[in-house]
Amino acid sequence: MSNMQLDLDAIEALNRRLIRAMDYEKGRGGPPDGFPALPEIPGGRYTDPAFIEAEWQALWKRSWLYACHADELANPGDYMLWKNTGSPILIVRGEDGVIRAFYNTCRHRGAPVVMDDGGNARGLVCSYHGWTYNLQGELLNMRDKRDFVDLDMSCRSLIPVRCEQLGKWVFVSEDPEIEPLLDYLGPLVPQLMQFQPDRMRFVEKHGFDIACNIKVMMDAFLETYHVKSIHQHTVDRFIDSRGTAIMLWENGHSLMCTPNRREGWRDPGTVGLKHMDTVTDVPRIHNLSFNVFPNLISPPHASGVPILTFWPTGPNTMRVECHWFSPDWGDGPIPEVWHTRIANFDRILFEDTQFAPYIQNSTESPGFKGVLLSYQERRIYHWHEELDRRIRAAGIAVSEALMIEPMMGPWREDARQAAE
């Protein structure tokens, strides 16, 4: 690998645990001994304005969040305006090739230094008063400098936003004190590196809006309990949801791995696509799904990787963005089979999202008291636990009646570990 060595020992150690866990899950008669009855997650977490505001400050302003792929900013001066946290953030490739992020806020009186959602620029110029910055965010020139008494231009650079990469995947965080990205990702790093994030090419991205609180949708993508009900003619035909193995990690991250029903089965949507030879047997044969806390879901495959990011757009609305990446296909346009694959994936996404507006209606009714979770839905509880930990760490006061009791600490890694 070009930017990090592939840690095969860590990958294979996890693979062995996943195999044991899937075998255990398929054969168990109930939860492992000692697994607790999970307290109900209070329903007000989905609707209470004070709780949603606390969540906004604790998650979206203090986490590493996926922003874009380096291919989207291929040349010096390429930029995009990124607004998913509510702040106008400019992400730009500098003349030195480095991708950086800044608030799109001129240091004079706050006017934007770019107006378009994306483009290419030789420099960054505030259209309001003409203050000029280079691609590294440094103030270069201004009108009527003589009228600014004792101005030190070196102290008026654009305000940076933390920006780091895993391969070509670019993440940003508005928390200047947040730990480095690779430390934040922790055990996810070696697992993701086998999918060659430093080599994969950008295919496309698109998105759609959903009329629900973001947690309604996050909950849905953290379990396979729904598979037999809403994916009867698609996903349920080839995965055994009762064998789903789950890993719970620090910082709210998690993984689930669901075995295929038939040995040797291959998704027909991947036929004709190039496969990565660095992907090991478990993710090649079975079905992984990562959650990079708080809002990134990825079911990677040796033939390519989709990344789903979930963004709140209001208390009861959200947006899903779908980003697709492929092994290098060589010269020429993207292979036609990719269009079929993405269309098939979108059909499954519709199945996953179809009930969300109705669930949202229920959360706003007197009939919704809370969320009752089973053992196989414990990733959801783990996600909510981490949300509460961050609210408390940020010192944000919310009603204790809406907080949940930490329960998942002893159950991190996998069920088999706890059962042994």
Side-chain angles (χ1 to χ4, degrees):
M1 311 300 287
S2 61
N3 69 339
M4 294 180 62
Q5 292 298 313
L6 199 61
D7 188 347
L8 288 174
D9 289 341
I11 294 169
E12 291 299 350
L14 178 62
N15 285 347
R16 290 191 293 271
R17 293 201 299 274
L18 287 171
I19 290 170
R20 292 200 307 270
M22 286 188 289
D23 289 342
Y24 170 78
E25 293 289 346
K26 285 186 284 189
R28 67 179 174 85
D33 291 343
F35 188 84
L38 296 176
E40 193 171 85
I41 295 177
R45 295 165 68 94
Y46 296 79
T47 58
D48 182 76
F51 189 90
I52 291 172
E53 176 60 25
E55 173 187 311
W56 181 263
Q57 295 299 326
L59 286 193
W60 309 108
K61 300 295 185 179
R62 297 171 184 260
S63 300
W64 281 111
L65 303 169
Y66 177 79
C68 65
H69 188 272
D71 286 359
E72 297 177 76
L73 303 171
N75 304 303
D78 284 353
Y79 68 86
M80 66 168 56
L81 188 55
W82 192 84
K83 296 178 275 191
N84 284 332
T85 62
S87 301
I89 295 174
L90 168 65
I91 307 174
V92 59
R93 187 182 287 274
E95 294 172 351
D96 56 0
V98 176
I99 295 175
R100 298 177 176 87
F102 307 95
Y103 287 108
N104 185 36
T105 304
C106 179
R107 297 300 306 282
H108 175 218
R109 283 168 51 189
V113 295
V114 301
M115 297 292 290
D116 299 326
D117 288 339
N120 182 273
R122 296 178 61 184
L124 307 170
V125 182
C126 171
S127 298
Y128 194 13
H129 295 106
W131 283 35
T132 303
Y133 304 82
N134 64 21
L135 299 177
Q136 283 69 254
E138 300 165 329
L139 180 60
L140 294 182
N141 206 353
M142 57 199 299
R143 293 197 184 105
D144 299 330
K145 182 180 178 183
R146 64 184 182 177
D147 290 331
F148 290 86
V149 179
D150 296 330
L151 175 67
D152 183 351
M153 291 176 57
S154 68
C155 296
R156 287 284 159 174
S157 298
L158 297 177
I159 300 296
V161 175
R162 289 285 296 276
C163 181
E164 297 181 16
Q165 294 181 215
L166 175 66
K168 292 185 176 182
W169 293 331
V170 180
F171 290 74
V172 299
S173 175
E174 290 193 68
D175 181 358
E177 304 300 324
I178 196 169
E179 63 190 316
L181 174 64
L182 297 187
D183 293 343
Y184 177 84
L185 295 176
L188 286 171
V189 173
Q191 311 310 322
L192 292 171
M193 285 304 297
Q194 67 182 302
F195 296 95
Q196 302 184 9
D198 53 346
R199 298 180 186 175
M200 271 202 283
R201 292 175 64 174
F202 175 75
V203 176
E204 67 131 74
K205 67 180 178 183
H206 60 280
F208 51 94
D209 298 309
I210 305 174
C212 71
N213 179 269
I214 189 172
K215 293 186 291 298
V216 170
M217 209 70 264
M218 284 303 309
D219 291 353
F221 278 77
L222 294 173
E223 46 88 359
T224 56
Y225 189 42
H226 66 274
V227 166
K228 288 189 173 298
S229 297
I230 67 173
H231 297 307
Q232 293 179 21
H233 304 294
T234 54
V235 177
D236 188 50
R237 295 170 54 198
F238 61 87
I239 70 169
D240 180 3
S241 58
R242 289 172 60 88
T244 299
I246 288 174
M247 302 286 172
L248 307 177
W249 288 313
E250 296 284 345
N251 288 329
H253 309 314
S254 63
L255 163 69
M256 61 185 179
C257 183
T258 307
N260 274 330
R261 287 189 178 278
R262 302 190 301 275
E263 185 175 350
W265 183 89
R266 184 176 179 184
D267 183 349
T270 68
V271 175
L273 294 175
K274 183 177 180 179
H275 284 53
M276 292 171 273
D277 57 9
T278 51
V279 177
T280 54
D281 283 347
V282 168
R284 187 180 295 275
I285 295 169
H286 302 294
N287 304 275
L288 295 185
S289 180
F290 294 97
N291 172 217
V292 177
F293 189 90
N295 70 326
L296 185 156
I297 298 289
S298 179
H301 189 267
S303 63
V305 175
I307 282 181
L308 304 178
T309 51
F310 296 36
W311 304 103
T313 56
N316 54 12
T317 59
M318 62 159 296
R319 183 168 178 80
V320 176
E321 291 182 348
C322 310
H323 312 254
W324 280 95
F325 314 101
S326 168
D328 191 346
W329 60 84
D331 296 333
I334 185 75
E336 186 63 30
V337 66
W338 264 104
H339 303 299
T340 301
R341 181 180 183 187
I342 292 171
N344 290 340
F345 189 84
D346 282 350
R347 280 193 285 273
I348 295 171
L349 272 184
F350 170 76
E351 293 175 349
D352 280 313
T353 60
Q354 61 184 308
F355 291 109
Y358 303 101
I359 296 172
Q360 181 61 38
N361 287 341
S362 291
T363 67
E364 297 168 359
S365 79
F368 184 72
K369 303 301 183 184
V371 173
L372 179 64
L373 299 173
S374 68
Y375 164 73
Q376 63 178 282
E377 298 165 293
R378 61 196 181 278
R379 282 181 91 203
I380 299 173
Y381 201 92
H382 177 64
W383 190 97
H384 284 264
E385 263 190 22
E386 180 65 15
L387 168 58
D388 285 12
R389 185 188 73 79
R390 295 191 184 206
I391 290 173
R392 289 191 171 100
I396 303 171
V398 296
S399 170
E400 281 297 321
L402 297 180
M403 305 293 272
I404 63 172
E405 180 184 354
M407 304 286 288
M408 291 294 98
W411 299 90
R412 288 185 179 146
E413 285 295 310
D414 61 71
R416 184 58 182 161
Q417 175 187 355
E420 285 176 340

